[in-house]
Amino acid sequence: MPYVNIKVTREGVTSEQKAELIEGVTDLLERVLNKNPATTMVVIDEVETDNWGIGGEQVTHRRKRGE
Amino acid sequence: MPYVNIKVTREGVTSEQKAELIEGVTDLLERVLNKNPATTMVVIDEVETDNWGIGGEQVTHRRKRGE
Amino acid sequence: MPYVNIKVTREGVTSEQKAELIEGVTDLLERVLNKNPATTMVVIDEVETDNWGIGGEQVTHRRKRGE
Amino acid sequence: MPYVNIKVTREGVTSEQKAELIEGVTDLLERVLNKNPATTMVVIDEVETDNWGIGGEQVTHRRKRGE
Amino acid sequence: MPYVNIKVTREGVTSEQKAELIEGVTDLLERVLNKNPATTMVVIDEVETDNWGIGGEQVTHRRKRGE
Amino acid sequence: MPYVNIKVTREGVTSEQKAELIEGVTDLLERVLNKNPATTMVVIDEVETDNWGIGGEQVTHRRKRGE
């Protein structure tokens, strides 16, 4: 019954990678907390780099500096 | 003053259906908790089926199997 | 498969009222979007009035003024 | 280490305004709680006016009335 | 830079289990998306069973039936 | 009408500091986006250091090392 929300920047995450994240998190919750995978929900949010800030600045700016 | 976030898969929800959800949730909170509808906020997120997992797999796959 | 998060101030919401909110929202999603109630998830967060702001001030202050 | 999520309606917020929000919130958390700006995260969500409800109706409708 | 929020029912999750979840999710994001673990944030919310609904009823009720 | 959620570790944030955060964020949204403060909502979540991870470990552990 867990609910997991994963937020990452929108920078070309493939459908296969999303599938791996969903499977990986679901397995983790079964392994650590014995949660039934059938009702584990995972929602992935892809966020534009302009809309994500860290260190007081947009990720867009950090990417331009090669970070 | 309540805040409600509804997440559903992005599968053709119409503007009219969104209006019904907003009205329905706002009414529910007034009826059950006597909350003033004027300051009840509702935000609906539509999530791509590739980005939503249940049972360890993407909803996209479930839809292909007719689920 | 919808996920709904309801945030209200922590001001004596009873277990029965929570049950009504959960049932009401689940019914609404079935009625409006034909969502299977079996996999609709609802999470209610009760937030201290000191931690909730509207109009630039804490709800605690508004309550003291009788609002 | 704080995490801040700002939700606003999608109505032409510019990249510069997003940068101001990110910088402003990060500064605020440093000033008030002495939080290290290097690890403060800010995520801005822009929500369609059809998907945002207040007072039981969509923001889209309020905008049509000039509100 | 990812942000992950894990919601589970408050039913005796130990500090060690929380550490495993945090480490496991951080590793998963490094492995699948090459995300730098240093800035991956994980927040675990433990939710009272009265405040979590699935299938239109509180988890508290399901637990009483042995589910 | 914006909604802002601020998550910080539960480490003695005072009611006055919460009031400053609420006022500061509300002002910021008025200044940058001309949002009406009357309907700006702010919710502050205080998270146990055991439940917050960064760099793959619990904040509790970092605090013990003086970080």
Side-chain angles (χ1 to χ4, degrees):
Chain A
M1 214 160 17
Y3 171 81
V4 181
N5 178 229
I6 300 174
K7 288 185 199 296
V8 292
T9 43
R10 186 186 295 280
E11 298 176 283
V13 184
T14 67
S15 180
E16 286 69 26
Q17 289 171 323
K18 292 173 190 176
E20 279 186 75
L21 291 177
I22 287 166
E23 193 186 344
V25 165
T26 307
D27 287 354
L28 181 70
L29 281 155
E30 186 180 17
R31 184 158 46 81
V32 177
L33 295 179
N34 200 29
K35 295 293 182 185
N36 180 1
T39 52
T40 292
M41 245 184 223
V42 185
V43 170
I44 300 169
D45 290 326
E46 296 169 279
V47 177
E48 303 297 329
T49 55
D50 257 21
N51 291 23
W52 193 304
I54 186 163
E57 64 171 353
Q58 288 165 306
V59 172
T60 310
H61 290 191
R62 297 168 81 94
R63 293 296 186 248
K64 282 182 184 158
R65 289 199 311 269
E67 289 179 40
Chain B
M1 217 159 15
Y3 171 81
V4 181
N5 179 229
I6 299 174
K7 288 185 200 294
V8 293
T9 43
R10 187 186 293 281
E11 298 177 283
V13 183
T14 67
S15 180
E16 286 68 27
Q17 288 171 324
K18 292 172 190 176
E20 278 186 76
L21 291 177
I22 288 166
E23 193 186 343
V25 165
T26 306
D27 287 353
L28 180 70
L29 282 155
E30 187 180 17
R31 184 158 46 80
V32 177
L33 294 180
N34 201 28
K35 296 292 184 185
N36 180 1
T39 52
T40 292
M41 245 184 223
V42 184
V43 169
I44 300 168
D45 290 326
E46 296 169 278
V47 177
E48 304 296 327
T49 55
D50 257 20
N51 291 23
W52 194 305
I54 187 162
E57 64 171 353
Q58 289 165 304
V59 172
T60 310
H61 291 191
R62 298 169 81 94
R63 293 296 186 249
K64 283 181 184 157
R65 290 197 312 268
E67 288 180 42
Chain C
M1 218 158 16
Y3 171 81
V4 181
N5 179 227
I6 299 174
K7 288 185 199 296
V8 293
T9 43
R10 187 185 294 282
E11 299 177 282
V13 183
T14 67
S15 180
E16 286 69 27
Q17 289 171 323
K18 292 173 190 176
E20 279 185 75
L21 291 176
I22 288 166
E23 193 186 344
V25 165
T26 306
D27 287 354
L28 181 70
L29 282 155
E30 187 179 19
R31 185 157 47 79
V32 177
L33 295 179
N34 200 28
K35 296 292 182 184
N36 179 0
T39 52
T40 292
M41 244 183 225
V42 185
V43 170
I44 300 168
D45 291 325
E46 296 169 278
V47 177
E48 302 297 328
T49 55
D50 257 20
N51 291 23
W52 194 304
I54 187 162
E57 64 171 354
Q58 288 164 304
V59 171
T60 310
H61 290 192
R62 296 169 82 94
R63 293 295 185 250
K64 282 181 184 159
R65 291 199 310 268
E67 289 179 41
Chain D
M1 216 158 17
Y3 171 81
V4 181
N5 179 228
I6 299 174
K7 288 186 200 294
V8 292
T9 44
R10 187 186 295 279
E11 298 177 284
V13 183
T14 66
S15 180
E16 286 68 27
Q17 288 171 325
K18 292 173 188 175
E20 279 186 74
L21 291 176
I22 288 167
E23 192 186 345
V25 165
T26 306
D27 286 354
L28 180 70
L29 281 155
E30 187 180 17
R31 185 158 46 81
V32 177
L33 294 180
N34 200 29
K35 296 292 184 185
N36 180 1
T39 52
T40 292
M41 245 183 223
V42 184
V43 170
I44 300 168
D45 290 326
E46 296 170 276
V47 177
E48 303 296 328
T49 55
D50 257 20
N51 290 23
W52 194 303
I54 186 162
E57 64 172 353
Q58 288 165 303
V59 172
T60 309
H61 290 191
R62 297 169 80 93
R63 294 295 186 250
K64 282 182 185 159
R65 289 199 311 269
E67 289 179 40
Chain E
M1 215 158 18
Y3 171 81
V4 181
N5 179 228
I6 299 173
K7 288 185 199 296
V8 293
T9 44
R10 187 186 295 279
E11 297 177 284
V13 183
T14 66
S15 180
E16 286 69 27
Q17 289 171 324
K18 292 173 190 176
E20 279 186 73
L21 291 176
I22 288 167
E23 194 186 343
V25 166
T26 306
D27 287 354
L28 180 71
L29 281 156
E30 186 179 18
R31 184 157 47 78
V32 177
L33 295 180
N34 200 29
K35 296 293 183 185
N36 180 1
T39 52
T40 293
M41 244 183 226
V42 184
V43 170
I44 300 167
D45 291 325
E46 297 169 276
V47 177
E48 303 298 327
T49 55
D50 257 21
N51 290 23
W52 194 304
I54 187 162
E57 65 171 353
Q58 288 165 303
V59 172
T60 309
H61 290 190
R62 296 169 82 94
R63 294 295 185 250
K64 282 181 185 158
R65 291 199 310 268
E67 289 179 40
Chain F
M1 213 158 19
Y3 171 81
V4 181
N5 179 229
I6 298 174
K7 288 186 199 295
V8 293
T9 43
R10 187 185 294 280
E11 299 177 283
V13 183
T14 66
S15 180
E16 286 69 27
Q17 289 171 324
K18 292 172 189 175
E20 279 186 74
L21 291 176
I22 288 166
E23 193 186 343
V25 165
T26 306
D27 286 354
L28 181 70
L29 281 155
E30 187 180 17
R31 185 157 46 79
V32 177
L33 294 179
N34 200 29
K35 296 292 184 186
N36 180 1
T39 52
T40 293
M41 244 183 225
V42 184
V43 170
I44 299 168
D45 290 326
E46 296 170 277
V47 177
E48 302 298 327
T49 55
D50 256 22
N51 290 23
W52 194 304
I54 186 162
E57 64 171 353
Q58 287 164 304
V59 172
T60 310
H61 290 190
R62 296 169 81 94
R63 293 295 185 252
K64 282 181 185 160
R65 290 199 311 267
E67 290 179 39

